[in-house]
Each structure stands twice: as structure tokens, then as C-alpha cells.
């Protein structure tokens, strides 16, 4: 199933391929104990979760040393797939639900992911500074901006200015309206040709 990823990211190393391949068995095992992915969706892990997370890697090619906060990571999405893709960047994954963070911790440990730190923490409590805050359908964009604006670093090191990158489905026009002059909404079907990606968006907001 890792072919779903190599189709769009052909430059992966042996180590990255090994890590992506290991996710299937790990998430199936953990999902049987702690439901982090809908039971009926686990067979679509690579398309609906891993590749979906990697849409952020199509929006920005993170430079080494970039620091990323994954807010509301659940069982590790989009943070774990991105941490595999960008081994020279550091990722902090936070979620308020302890058992979900435990899944992310155990998966990261099992695949030897050294650049990824899953922590049980609410976003309001996070004090660190990051180049980007990423999330996957956690909350409406205006609410997200209010909470994480404090966490965006002033120091720029990527081609894309620091900000928020979030993955959302459906019609996002209403929630991006307050930021219409600066927000960028990318349709995922321009990057991935599977029908599931129609009406899925990657939203980038410089902060």
C-alpha cells in the first residue's frame, strides 16, 4: 500500500519507505485497542490518513531545522507522516486526549522516529514558538488563529512565510472569508488524482 505514497513522492529513502510501510500493522494493532481511526476506514489508512497528511508537504517543502507544531494530532496525523517525510525538521504533536497521544508516542517509538515528540497538552497551554502550526480538521480557522497565533515564530527560514497550514474538507469559503486577502486555499485534487481528494483542501494562512 506504500505505493500510494511513492506514486507522488518518488524520492523516498529506504528508511522512509520502511517507516511508512510499518504504519499499517501498527495502526491496525493500536486501533483494535484505542479507536483513533474509524474502524471502517482503517483499510484506507494510506490514502485517507497518510497521503492526506502529506498534502502539507506539497504545499511547502520544509527546510532542515524547521519546527512544526501539530495541533490536535489525535493518533499522529498529520504529524507522523510529515516527520517521516522531513527527517531534518522537528515536530511536536499535541492533543488533549491522553490515550490518543499514547498511540502517537508508541507508533513513533516503534518506527524509530527521532524528530517527533507527541505530548498530552491542550493548545492553549502550549508556549513554544514554531515556524508552522499544522492541523487536520480540528476547528474553524478563525478559532484556530486565535489559539495558535502566539505560537508562530518571527524567525523566517522557509520559502513560504511562517503560519498555519490546515487540512479541511467541503466548502471552506465562510471560514476563510475573514482572511480573504491573505489566505491560500489549494484543492488537493491538483496534487493527488484519487477521487477521495475532490473537495478536500489545504489552507495556508501566513501569521
Amino acid at each position: 500500500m506504500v505505493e500510494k505514497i511513492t506514486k507522488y513522492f518518488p524520492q523516498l529513502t529506504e528508511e522512509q519507505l520502511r517507516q511508512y510501510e510499518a504504519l499499517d500493522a501498527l495502526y491496525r494493532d493500536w486501533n483494535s485497542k484505542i479507536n483513533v481511526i474509524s474502524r471502517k476506514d482503517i483499510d484506507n489508512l494510506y490514502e485517507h490518513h497518510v497521503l492526506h497528511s502529506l498534502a502539507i508537504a506539497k504545499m511547502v517543502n520544509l527546510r532542515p531545522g524547521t519546527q512544526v507544531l501539530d495541533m490536535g494530532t489525535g493518533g499522529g496525523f498529520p504529524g507522523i507522516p510529515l516527520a517521516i517525510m522531513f527527517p531534518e525538521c522537528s515536530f511536536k504533536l499535541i492533543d488533549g486526549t491522553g490515550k490518543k497521544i499514547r498511540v502517537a508516542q508508541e507508533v513513533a517509538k516503534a518506527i524509530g522516529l527521532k524528530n517527533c515528540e507527541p505530548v498530552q497538552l491542550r493548545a492553549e497551554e502550549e508556549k513554544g514558538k514554531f515556524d508552522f502550526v499544522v492541523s487536520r480538521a480540528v476547528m474553524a480557522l478563525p478559532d484556530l488563529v486565535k489559539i495558535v497565533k502566539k505560537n508562530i515564530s518571527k524567525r523566517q527560514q522557509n520559502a513560504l512565510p511562517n503560519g498555519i497550514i490546515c487540512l479541511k474538507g467541503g466548502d471552506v469559503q465562510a471560514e476563510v472569508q475573514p482572511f480573504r486577502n491573505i489566505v491560500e486555499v489549494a484543492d488537493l485534487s491538483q496534487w493527488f488524482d484519487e477521487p477521495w481528494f475532490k473537495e478536500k483542501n489545504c489552507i495556508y494562512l501566513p501569521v
Side-chain angles (χ1 to χ4, degrees):
M1 290 306 287
V2 85
E3 295 77 27
K4 287 248 181 232
I5 300 163
T6 53
K7 176 178 172 185
Y8 299 107
F9 299 95
Q11 314 299 334
L12 298 174
T13 64
E14 289 299 318
E15 174 69 354
Q16 287 170 314
L17 288 170
R18 182 192 67 76
Q19 290 174 320
Y20 283 126
E21 278 169 355
L23 295 180
D24 186 56
L26 286 164
Y27 276 109
R28 281 180 192 277
D29 182 43
W30 278 103
N31 218 46
S32 65
K33 304 174 218 173
I34 297 168
N35 197 12
V36 288
I37 292 168
S38 145
R39 293 275 151 82
K40 60 183 187 298
D41 207 28
I42 192 74
D43 288 339
N44 299 312
L45 176 76
Y46 284 100
E47 184 175 319
H48 295 183
H49 301 278
V50 181
L51 195 55
H52 188 217
S53 297
L54 292 175
I56 291 170
K58 291 289 189 186
M59 180 64 92
V60 57
N61 185 18
L62 298 173
R63 290 186 179 151
T66 298
Q67 295 185 301
V68 180
L69 175 68
D70 175 5
M71 192 204 124
T73 190
F77 299 99
I80 286 177
L82 288 171
I84 297 173
M85 183 63 68
F86 298 109
E88 294 178 347
C89 300
S90 61
F91 293 81
K92 184 170 185 180
L93 283 50
I94 63 170
D95 199 284
T97 308
K99 61 185 184 181
K100 288 183 177 176
I101 278 294
R102 180 160 174 239
V103 174
Q105 287 169 337
E106 294 295 334
V107 169
K109 192 164 83 179
I111 63 172
L113 208 49
K114 304 276 193 290
N115 61 331
C116 170
E117 181 196 11
V119 179
Q120 184 183 355
L121 194 67
R122 290 172 64 247
E124 291 83 353
E125 300 164 325
E126 176 56 64
K127 302 285 192 285
K129 298 283 184 189
F130 303 86
D131 299 291
F132 294 100
V133 174
V134 300
S135 78
R136 208 168 72 123
V138 170
M139 62 177 71
L141 191 58
D143 299 330
L144 187 62
V145 172
K146 276 187 202 128
I147 293 172
V148 302
K149 199 161 55 175
K150 68 184 186 323
N151 301 114
I152 305 291
S153 170
K154 296 277 183 281
R155 183 184 60 110
Q156 304 286 343
Q157 56 177 337
N158 285 277
L160 202 64
N162 294 355
I164 295 167
I165 305 175
C166 52
L167 296 163
K168 287 184 173 281
D171 186 356
V172 295
Q173 289 315 310
E175 63 178 285
V176 302
Q177 182 64 20
F179 315 103
R180 63 189 176 280
N181 297 328
I182 52 169
V183 74
E184 189 180 323
V185 180
D187 185 333
L188 300 198
S189 55
Q190 69 179 301
W191 297 320
F192 307 135
D193 54 26
E194 288 80 1
W196 186 81
F197 291 104
K198 286 197 170 70
E199 294 177 15
K200 301 280 190 301
N201 305 289
C202 187
I203 300 170
Y204 161 63
L205 182 69
V207 176

